[in-house]
Amino acid sequence: MTPTDTQEHTTYPLAFALTPSTTAREQAERERILADPGFGKHFTDHMVAIDWTIEDGWHDARVVPYGPLQIDPASSVLHYGQEIFEGLKAYRHEDGSIWTFRPEKNAERLQRSAHRLALPELSTEDFLESIRQVIAVDGSWVPSGGETSLYLRPFMIANEVFLGVRAANKVSYYVIASPAGAYFSQGVAPVKIWLSTEYSRAGRGGTGAAKCGGNYAASLLPQMEAYEHGCAQVLFLDGETGQHIDELGGMNVMFVYGSDRIVTPRLTGTILEGVTRDSILQLARDRGMTVEERDVTIDEWRDGVASGAITEVFACGTAAVVTPISQLKGADVEIGDAGAPAGAITLSLRQELTDIQYGRVPDRHGWLTRLDA
Ligand SMILES: *Cc1c(COP(=O)(O)O)cnc(C)c1O
Protein backbone atom coordinates (compact mmCIF):
# COMPACT_ATOMS: atom_id res chain seq x y z
CA MET A 1 0.00 0.00 0.00
CA THR A 2 1.40 3.39 -0.95
CA PRO A 3 0.85 6.41 1.29
CA THR A 4 -1.78 7.87 -1.06
CA ASP A 5 -3.83 4.66 -0.90
CA THR A 6 -4.60 5.42 2.72
CA GLN A 7 -6.12 8.77 1.79
CA GLU A 8 -9.57 7.62 0.83
CA HIS A 9 -10.53 10.78 -1.01
CA THR A 10 -7.80 10.14 -3.53
CA THR A 11 -8.78 6.48 -3.99
CA TYR A 12 -11.66 6.17 -6.43
CA PRO A 13 -13.93 4.48 -6.86
CA LEU A 14 -15.29 4.18 -3.34
CA ALA A 15 -15.92 0.67 -2.04
CA PHE A 16 -19.32 0.14 -0.42
CA ALA A 17 -19.85 -1.97 2.71
CA LEU A 18 -23.23 -3.69 3.05
CA THR A 19 -25.21 -4.13 6.27
CA PRO A 20 -28.31 -6.10 5.26
CA SER A 21 -31.63 -5.12 6.80
CA THR A 22 -32.99 -7.58 9.36
CA THR A 23 -36.48 -6.17 8.90
CA ALA A 24 -36.75 -6.25 5.09
CA ARG A 25 -40.35 -6.60 3.93
CA GLU A 26 -41.50 -10.08 2.87
CA GLN A 27 -42.26 -10.61 -0.80
CA ALA A 28 -46.04 -10.53 -0.23
CA GLU A 29 -45.84 -7.19 1.58
CA ARG A 30 -43.58 -5.74 -1.10
CA GLU A 31 -45.96 -6.88 -3.83
CA ARG A 32 -48.88 -5.33 -1.98
CA ILE A 33 -47.03 -1.98 -1.91
CA LEU A 34 -45.89 -2.26 -5.54
CA ALA A 35 -49.46 -2.89 -6.68
CA ASP A 36 -50.36 0.71 -5.77
CA PRO A 37 -47.24 2.62 -4.70
CA GLY A 38 -48.42 6.19 -5.31
CA PHE A 39 -45.50 8.63 -5.29
CA GLY A 40 -42.93 9.22 -2.55
CA LYS A 41 -44.87 7.36 0.13
CA HIS A 42 -43.06 4.03 0.40
CA PHE A 43 -39.33 3.41 0.62
CA THR A 44 -37.21 0.36 -0.06
CA ASP A 45 -35.42 -1.68 2.61
CA HIS A 46 -31.98 -0.08 2.24
CA MET A 47 -30.28 3.23 1.57
CA VAL A 48 -26.81 4.40 0.62
CA ALA A 49 -24.79 6.73 2.85
CA ILE A 50 -21.38 8.30 2.22
CA ASP A 51 -19.65 10.77 4.52
CA TRP A 52 -17.30 13.60 3.69
CA THR A 53 -14.98 15.59 5.90
CA ILE A 54 -12.57 18.29 4.91
CA GLU A 55 -9.70 16.14 6.24
CA ASP A 56 -10.60 12.81 4.65
CA GLY A 57 -12.77 13.65 1.66
CA TRP A 58 -15.46 11.09 0.75
CA HIS A 59 -15.24 7.95 2.85
CA ASP A 60 -17.26 5.28 4.66
CA ALA A 61 -19.48 4.45 1.67
CA ARG A 62 -22.11 2.00 2.83
CA VAL A 63 -25.44 0.37 2.13
CA VAL A 64 -27.45 0.22 5.33
CA PRO A 65 -31.01 -0.58 6.39
CA TYR A 66 -33.41 2.25 5.52
CA GLY A 67 -34.27 4.20 8.63
CA PRO A 68 -34.21 7.52 10.49
CA LEU A 69 -31.01 9.52 10.57
CA GLN A 70 -29.59 10.67 13.83
CA ILE A 71 -28.92 14.37 13.44
CA ASP A 72 -27.56 16.71 16.07
CA PRO A 73 -29.92 19.67 16.62
CA ALA A 74 -27.00 21.98 15.82
CA SER A 75 -26.31 20.24 12.49
CA SER A 76 -25.75 22.99 9.94
CA VAL A 77 -28.32 21.86 7.37
CA LEU A 78 -31.10 22.42 9.91
CA HIS A 79 -30.19 26.08 10.27
CA TYR A 80 -28.82 27.33 6.97
CA GLY A 81 -30.34 24.93 4.46
CA GLN A 82 -27.10 23.82 2.82
CA GLU A 83 -28.71 20.94 0.91
CA ILE A 84 -28.97 19.68 -2.68
CA PHE A 85 -30.70 16.75 -4.30
CA GLU A 86 -31.33 14.82 -7.50
CA GLY A 87 -34.22 12.83 -8.91
CA LEU A 88 -34.01 10.00 -11.44
CA LYS A 89 -35.79 6.75 -12.10
CA ALA A 90 -35.01 3.06 -12.52
CA TYR A 91 -37.18 1.44 -15.18
CA ARG A 92 -37.93 -2.28 -15.54
CA HIS A 93 -37.91 -3.40 -19.14
CA GLU A 94 -40.14 -6.11 -20.57
CA ASP A 95 -37.39 -8.76 -20.15
CA GLY A 96 -37.03 -7.91 -16.44
CA SER A 97 -33.76 -5.97 -16.75
CA ILE A 98 -33.39 -2.65 -14.87
CA TRP A 99 -32.19 0.56 -16.53
CA THR A 100 -31.85 4.24 -15.81
CA PHE A 101 -31.89 7.29 -18.06
CA ARG A 102 -28.89 9.62 -18.63
CA PRO A 103 -27.65 9.30 -15.02
CA GLU A 104 -24.36 11.03 -15.83
CA LYS A 105 -26.44 14.16 -16.46
CA ASN A 106 -27.78 13.94 -12.91
CA ALA A 107 -24.26 13.31 -11.59
CA GLU A 108 -22.94 16.41 -13.37
CA ARG A 109 -25.87 18.52 -12.22
CA LEU A 110 -25.31 17.37 -8.63
CA GLN A 111 -21.70 18.53 -9.04
CA ARG A 112 -22.85 21.95 -10.30
CA SER A 113 -25.40 22.22 -7.48
CA ALA A 114 -22.68 21.23 -4.99
CA HIS A 115 -20.42 23.94 -6.31
CA ARG A 116 -23.12 26.61 -5.95
CA LEU A 117 -24.06 25.50 -2.43
CA ALA A 118 -20.40 25.23 -1.33
CA LEU A 119 -20.71 21.48 -0.87
CA PRO A 120 -18.10 18.92 -1.96
CA GLU A 121 -18.47 17.35 -5.40
CA LEU A 122 -19.10 13.62 -5.67
CA SER A 123 -17.47 12.07 -8.76
CA THR A 124 -19.71 10.84 -11.56
CA GLU A 125 -18.28 7.35 -11.03
CA ASP A 126 -19.19 7.30 -7.32
CA PHE A 127 -22.64 8.76 -8.04
CA LEU A 128 -23.34 5.99 -10.56
CA GLU A 129 -22.01 3.35 -8.19
CA SER A 130 -24.25 4.65 -5.39
CA ILE A 131 -27.28 4.11 -7.67
CA ARG A 132 -26.09 0.64 -8.69
CA GLN A 133 -25.66 -0.30 -5.04
CA VAL A 134 -29.27 0.56 -4.26
CA ILE A 135 -30.48 -1.56 -7.17
CA ALA A 136 -28.12 -4.42 -6.26
CA VAL A 137 -29.76 -4.78 -2.87
CA ASP A 138 -33.31 -3.52 -3.58
CA GLY A 139 -33.79 -4.33 -7.28
CA SER A 140 -36.93 -6.32 -6.43
CA TRP A 141 -38.52 -2.97 -5.54
CA VAL A 142 -38.47 -1.79 -9.18
CA PRO A 143 -42.11 -2.28 -10.23
CA SER A 144 -43.04 -3.71 -13.60
CA GLY A 145 -45.81 -2.90 -16.02
CA GLY A 146 -47.35 0.37 -17.14
CA GLU A 147 -45.46 3.57 -16.51
CA THR A 148 -44.14 2.52 -13.11
CA SER A 149 -40.60 3.03 -11.84
CA LEU A 150 -38.39 3.15 -8.80
CA TYR A 151 -37.75 6.82 -8.08
CA LEU A 152 -34.19 7.42 -6.87
CA ARG A 153 -33.49 10.37 -4.63
CA PRO A 154 -29.79 11.13 -4.04
CA PHE A 155 -29.24 14.09 -1.70
CA MET A 156 -26.44 15.81 0.14
CA ILE A 157 -26.59 17.71 3.42
CA ALA A 158 -24.25 19.84 5.48
CA ASN A 159 -23.84 17.80 8.64
CA GLU A 160 -21.45 19.63 10.92
CA VAL A 161 -22.35 20.45 14.51
CA PHE A 162 -21.61 24.14 14.35
CA LEU A 163 -23.77 27.26 14.31
CA GLY A 164 -21.27 29.56 12.63
CA VAL A 165 -22.15 30.71 9.14
CA ARG A 166 -19.70 29.08 6.74
CA ALA A 167 -19.60 26.06 4.47
CA ALA A 168 -19.72 22.89 6.57
CA ASN A 169 -16.60 20.79 7.06
CA LYS A 170 -18.74 17.66 7.44
CA VAL A 171 -21.21 16.53 4.82
CA SER A 172 -23.34 13.45 4.22
CA TYR A 173 -24.68 12.03 0.97
CA TYR A 174 -27.55 9.56 0.82
CA VAL A 175 -29.60 7.73 -1.77
CA ILE A 176 -33.10 6.59 -0.91
CA ALA A 177 -35.50 4.87 -3.32
CA SER A 178 -39.27 4.98 -3.58
CA PRO A 179 -41.49 2.91 -5.89
CA ALA A 180 -43.69 5.12 -8.07
CA GLY A 181 -46.93 4.30 -9.83
CA ALA A 182 -47.94 5.75 -13.18
CA TYR A 183 -48.19 9.54 -12.80
CA PHE A 184 -51.21 9.65 -15.08
CA SER A 185 -53.13 6.46 -14.36
CA GLN A 186 -56.21 7.64 -16.28
CA GLY A 187 -54.41 8.88 -19.40
CA VAL A 188 -52.32 12.01 -19.80
CA ALA A 189 -54.52 14.82 -18.50
CA PRO A 190 -53.83 18.54 -19.13
CA VAL A 191 -53.43 20.75 -16.08
CA LYS A 192 -54.14 24.39 -15.26
CA ILE A 193 -51.19 26.47 -14.12
CA TRP A 194 -51.18 29.48 -11.79
CA LEU A 195 -49.11 32.53 -12.74
CA SER A 196 -47.36 33.89 -9.68
CA THR A 197 -46.92 37.64 -10.01
CA GLU A 198 -46.10 38.31 -6.38
CA TYR A 199 -43.25 35.80 -5.94
CA SER A 200 -40.20 34.67 -7.92
CA ARG A 201 -38.36 31.40 -7.45
CA ALA A 202 -34.92 32.72 -8.41
CA GLY A 203 -33.05 35.93 -9.02
CA ARG A 204 -29.90 36.95 -10.86
CA GLY A 205 -26.90 35.38 -9.16
CA GLY A 206 -29.13 33.28 -6.92
CA THR A 207 -29.58 29.51 -6.74
CA GLY A 208 -32.17 29.03 -9.50
CA ALA A 209 -29.90 26.76 -11.56
CA ALA A 210 -29.05 24.57 -8.56
CA LYS A 211 -31.33 21.74 -7.47
CA CYS A 212 -31.52 22.72 -3.82
CA GLY A 213 -34.21 22.33 -1.20
CA GLY A 214 -34.21 26.07 -0.56
CA ASN A 215 -35.67 26.79 -3.99
CA TYR A 216 -38.51 24.42 -3.21
CA ALA A 217 -39.11 25.93 0.23
CA ALA A 218 -39.54 29.31 -1.48
CA SER A 219 -42.01 27.87 -3.99
CA LEU A 220 -44.44 26.39 -1.47
CA LEU A 221 -46.39 29.54 -0.61
CA PRO A 222 -47.06 30.40 -4.28
CA GLN A 223 -47.87 26.69 -4.78
CA MET A 224 -50.58 27.02 -2.10
CA GLU A 225 -51.90 30.04 -3.98
CA ALA A 226 -52.06 27.86 -7.10
CA TYR A 227 -54.11 25.20 -5.28
CA GLU A 228 -56.49 27.87 -3.98
CA HIS A 229 -57.16 28.84 -7.59
CA GLY A 230 -57.72 25.28 -8.72
CA CYS A 231 -54.33 25.01 -10.41
CA ALA A 232 -51.88 22.12 -10.22
CA GLN A 233 -48.60 24.06 -10.40
CA VAL A 234 -47.12 27.56 -10.32
CA LEU A 235 -45.42 29.36 -13.18
CA PHE A 236 -42.67 31.78 -12.21
CA LEU A 237 -41.54 34.79 -14.20
CA ASP A 238 -38.03 36.18 -14.01
CA GLY A 239 -37.47 38.24 -10.88
CA GLU A 240 -35.94 41.20 -12.66
CA THR A 241 -38.50 42.28 -15.25
CA GLY A 242 -41.46 40.06 -14.36
CA GLN A 243 -41.97 39.62 -18.11
CA HIS A 244 -40.05 36.49 -19.04
CA ILE A 245 -41.14 32.91 -18.42
CA ASP A 246 -38.73 31.06 -16.13
CA GLU A 247 -40.29 27.70 -15.27
CA LEU A 248 -42.69 25.92 -12.95
CA GLY A 249 -41.82 25.07 -9.35
CA GLY A 250 -40.26 21.79 -10.47
CA MET A 251 -40.68 21.48 -14.25
CA ASN A 252 -39.46 23.26 -17.38
CA VAL A 253 -41.93 24.75 -19.89
CA MET A 254 -42.17 24.30 -23.68
CA PHE A 255 -44.25 25.97 -26.39
CA VAL A 256 -45.16 24.28 -29.66
CA TYR A 257 -45.60 26.57 -32.65
CA GLY A 258 -47.59 24.98 -35.47
CA SER A 259 -46.31 21.51 -36.16
CA ASP A 260 -42.62 22.14 -36.66
CA ARG A 261 -41.21 24.47 -34.03
CA ILE A 262 -40.59 24.16 -30.30
CA VAL A 263 -39.61 27.09 -28.09
CA THR A 264 -38.36 27.02 -24.51
CA PRO A 265 -36.84 29.66 -22.22
CA ARG A 266 -33.06 29.75 -22.51
CA LEU A 267 -30.92 28.82 -19.53
CA THR A 268 -30.16 32.15 -17.92
CA GLY A 269 -28.96 30.93 -14.53
CA THR A 270 -32.40 31.24 -12.95
CA ILE A 271 -33.75 28.11 -14.64
CA LEU A 272 -33.01 24.53 -13.64
CA GLU A 273 -31.42 22.63 -16.52
CA GLY A 274 -33.77 19.65 -16.77
CA VAL A 275 -32.59 16.34 -18.20
CA THR A 276 -36.10 15.87 -19.59
CA ARG A 277 -35.92 19.35 -21.17
CA ASP A 278 -32.67 18.50 -22.90
CA SER A 279 -33.97 15.11 -24.08
CA ILE A 280 -37.23 16.52 -25.46
CA LEU A 281 -35.31 19.19 -27.39
CA GLN A 282 -33.10 16.46 -28.90
CA LEU A 283 -36.11 14.33 -29.90
CA ALA A 284 -37.70 17.42 -31.48
CA ARG A 285 -34.49 18.13 -33.46
CA ASP A 286 -34.39 14.48 -34.56
CA ARG A 287 -37.84 14.99 -36.05
CA GLY A 288 -36.64 17.96 -38.02
CA MET A 289 -38.42 20.45 -35.79
CA THR A 290 -36.84 23.87 -35.25
CA VAL A 291 -35.73 24.24 -31.65
CA GLU A 292 -35.40 27.71 -30.12
CA GLU A 293 -33.95 28.37 -26.68
CA ARG A 294 -34.58 32.05 -26.04
CA ASP A 295 -36.49 34.52 -23.92
CA VAL A 296 -40.24 33.99 -23.95
CA THR A 297 -42.44 36.71 -22.52
CA ILE A 298 -45.85 36.33 -20.98
CA ASP A 299 -47.14 38.60 -23.79
CA GLU A 300 -45.77 36.21 -26.40
CA TRP A 301 -47.69 33.37 -24.72
CA ARG A 302 -50.93 35.39 -24.60
CA ASP A 303 -50.66 36.70 -28.16
CA GLY A 304 -49.44 33.36 -29.54
CA VAL A 305 -52.39 31.46 -28.13
CA ALA A 306 -54.81 34.21 -29.25
CA SER A 307 -53.49 34.17 -32.83
CA GLY A 308 -53.24 30.39 -33.00
CA ALA A 309 -49.45 30.52 -33.54
CA ILE A 310 -48.85 28.62 -30.29
CA THR A 311 -50.65 25.33 -30.68
CA GLU A 312 -49.54 23.43 -27.57
CA VAL A 313 -47.91 24.17 -24.22
CA PHE A 314 -46.45 21.56 -21.89
CA ALA A 315 -44.23 21.13 -18.85
CA CYS A 316 -41.53 18.49 -18.48
CA GLY A 317 -39.53 16.84 -15.71
CA THR A 318 -38.54 13.35 -14.55
CA ALA A 319 -41.49 12.75 -12.21
CA ALA A 320 -44.38 13.36 -14.64
CA VAL A 321 -42.25 13.21 -17.85
CA VAL A 322 -44.46 15.53 -19.91
CA THR A 323 -47.58 17.27 -18.64
CA PRO A 324 -49.82 19.16 -21.09
CA ILE A 325 -50.84 22.65 -19.94
CA SER A 326 -54.37 23.62 -20.93
CA GLN A 327 -54.60 27.02 -19.30
CA LEU A 328 -52.57 29.68 -17.51
CA LYS A 329 -54.50 31.64 -14.87
CA GLY A 330 -53.32 34.66 -12.92
CA ALA A 331 -54.55 37.73 -11.07
CA ASP A 332 -55.35 39.41 -14.38
CA VAL A 333 -54.61 36.87 -17.09
CA GLU A 334 -56.33 33.83 -18.47
CA ILE A 335 -54.62 32.20 -21.42
CA GLY A 336 -55.94 29.10 -23.12
CA ASP A 337 -58.98 26.92 -22.61
CA ALA A 338 -59.21 24.87 -19.40
CA GLY A 339 -61.07 22.12 -21.25
CA ALA A 340 -58.56 21.79 -24.10
CA PRO A 341 -57.33 18.24 -24.73
CA ALA A 342 -53.64 17.31 -24.75
CA GLY A 343 -51.87 18.30 -27.98
CA ALA A 344 -50.74 15.71 -30.52
CA ILE A 345 -47.07 16.76 -30.54
CA THR A 346 -46.98 16.88 -26.74
CA LEU A 347 -48.35 13.34 -26.57
CA SER A 348 -46.10 11.94 -29.28
CA LEU A 349 -42.91 13.42 -27.74
CA ARG A 350 -43.99 12.00 -24.41
CA GLN A 351 -44.64 8.61 -25.99
CA GLU A 352 -41.28 8.55 -27.74
CA LEU A 353 -39.38 9.49 -24.59
CA THR A 354 -41.12 6.87 -22.44
CA ASP A 355 -40.70 4.26 -25.20
CA ILE A 356 -36.94 4.86 -25.01
CA GLN A 357 -36.92 4.77 -21.21
CA TYR A 358 -38.88 1.50 -21.08
CA GLY A 359 -36.82 -0.09 -23.86
CA ARG A 360 -39.71 -0.32 -26.30
CA VAL A 361 -37.79 1.40 -29.12
CA PRO A 362 -34.06 1.51 -29.93
CA ASP A 363 -31.95 3.75 -27.68
CA ARG A 364 -30.35 5.62 -30.58
CA HIS A 365 -28.65 8.25 -28.42
CA GLY A 366 -27.19 5.80 -25.90
CA TRP A 367 -29.23 7.37 -23.10
CA LEU A 368 -29.83 4.18 -21.11
CA THR A 369 -27.53 2.66 -18.49
CA ARG A 370 -28.18 -0.86 -17.26
CA LEU A 371 -28.22 -1.03 -13.45
CA ASP A 372 -28.66 -4.73 -12.67
CA ALA A 373 -25.69 -6.18 -14.56
C1 LIG B 1 -35.68 18.77 -11.15
C2 LIG B 1 -36.28 20.02 -11.71
C3 LIG B 1 -36.72 20.12 -13.04
C4 LIG B 1 -36.75 18.95 -13.98
O1 LIG B 1 -35.52 18.37 -14.21
P1 LIG B 1 -35.41 16.89 -14.78
O2 LIG B 1 -33.96 16.63 -14.82
O3 LIG B 1 -36.03 16.91 -16.11
O4 LIG B 1 -36.15 16.02 -13.83
C5 LIG B 1 -37.18 21.35 -13.49
N1 LIG B 1 -37.23 22.42 -12.67
C6 LIG B 1 -36.84 22.35 -11.39
C7 LIG B 1 -36.92 23.57 -10.55
C8 LIG B 1 -36.34 21.15 -10.87
O5 LIG B 1 -35.97 21.10 -9.59
Side-chain angles (χ1 to χ4, degrees):
M1 191 182 263
T2 67
T4 49
D5 286 332
T6 62
Q7 294 177 304
E8 283 181 80
H9 58 298
T10 60
T11 311
Y12 291 114
L14 292 165
F16 287 73
L18 169 64
T19 306
S21 171
T22 54
T23 56
R25 264 68 52 92
E26 301 289 339
Q27 182 179 348
E29 171 67 357
R30 187 174 65 240
E31 281 170 4
R32 192 190 61 75
I33 293 169
L34 294 185
D36 184 21
F39 183 83
K41 289 194 299 191
H42 299 280
F43 299 91
T44 66
D45 294 315
H46 298 84
M47 61 185 185
V48 155
I50 316 178
D51 293 325
W52 179 92
T53 59
I54 198 157
E55 301 84 22
D56 295 328
W58 290 108
H59 62 277
D60 200 10
R62 56 207 189 272
V63 180
V64 292
Y66 181 93
L69 304 175
Q70 220 181 18
I71 294 223
D72 191 285
S75 178
S76 34
V77 67
L78 300 177
H79 303 273
Y80 309 123
Q82 198 188 358
E83 185 268 357
I84 56 175
F85 66 96
E86 271 303 324
L88 65 169
K89 287 174 169 174
Y91 307 90
R92 192 179 292 283
H93 286 189
E94 187 72 42
D95 66 0
S97 59
I98 301 171
W99 301 74
T100 193
F101 184 75
R102 308 186 77 184
E104 57 290 333
K105 284 266 180 199
N106 298 90
E108 290 160 12
R109 188 169 65 192
L110 188 71
Q111 289 155 10
R112 293 196 300 275
S113 300
H115 175 72
R116 181 63 186 85
L117 274 285
L119 286 161
E121 291 179 21
L122 184 71
S123 74
T124 299
E125 196 178 9
D126 289 330
F127 177 88
L128 295 182
E129 185 57 22
S130 73
I131 303 295
R132 286 184 195 284
Q133 290 284 332
V134 171
I135 298 302
V137 65
D138 282 340
S140 58
W141 283 91
V142 182
S144 50
E147 241 176 58
T148 60
S149 62
L150 182 65
Y151 185 77
L152 301 165
R153 167 54 58 85
F155 63 104
M156 196 188 292
I157 60 170
N159 203 5
E160 184 178 353
V161 180
F162 178 59
L163 289 184
V165 180
R166 60 155 169 74
N169 290 334
K170 282 183 74 178
V171 169
S172 301
Y173 166 85
Y174 303 95
V175 184
I176 56 174
S178 174
Y183 196 90
F184 294 105
S185 47
Q186 310 293 317
V188 180
V191 296
K192 290 188 286 182
I193 300 291
W194 176 251
L195 175 65
S196 176
T197 39
E198 192 172 348
Y199 305 103
S200 311
R201 74 172 277 286
R204 182 150 58 103
T207 55
K211 206 168 178 76
C212 62
N215 290 342
Y216 279 74
S219 75
L220 300 179
L221 180 63
Q223 173 81 45
M224 280 171 64
E225 207 176 83
Y227 291 151
E228 282 160 17
H229 290 88
C231 294
Q233 285 259 1
V234 204
L235 177 84
F236 292 102
L237 301 174
D238 77 288
E240 217 159 321
T241 68
Q243 298 296 315
H244 300 114
I245 311 290
D246 262 359
E247 60 168 320
L248 306 186
M251 297 178 97
N252 299 117
V253 196
M254 306 236 170
F255 301 88
V256 179
Y257 277 73
S259 59
D260 59 359
R261 191 151 63 101
I262 193 156
V263 179
T264 195
R266 72 191 166 96
L267 302 169
T268 54
T270 57
I271 295 174
L272 200 282
E273 187 173 350
V275 178
T276 318
R277 174 189 183 278
D278 186 76
S279 307
I280 292 278
L281 294 182
Q282 184 60 50
L283 295 182
R285 278 187 210 103
D286 293 350
R287 291 171 178 210
M289 292 178 79
T290 302
V291 168
E292 295 173 10
E293 293 178 69
R294 58 168 172 80
D295 289 341
V296 182
T297 63
I298 192 74
D299 291 340
E300 177 176 350
W301 187 344
R302 186 195 300 103
D303 297 346
V305 168
S307 73
I310 294 177
T311 47
E312 304 176 23
V313 186
F314 65 88
C316 62
T318 296
V321 194
V322 163
T323 303
I325 296 173
S326 57
Q327 188 181 53
L328 179 73
K329 279 171 61 166
D332 44 31
V333 283
E334 197 167 290
I335 307 175
D337 170 7
I345 293 173
T346 302
L347 289 179
S348 99
L349 285 167
R350 186 180 199 286
Q351 186 68 43
E352 186 177 7
L353 184 56
T354 53
D355 280 346
I356 293 171
Q357 291 168 334
Y358 287 93
R360 295 184 292 245
V361 299
D363 173 25
R364 64 177 179 275
H365 291 292
W367 281 343
L368 299 186
T369 294
R370 186 157 182 188
L371 290 177
D372 63 333

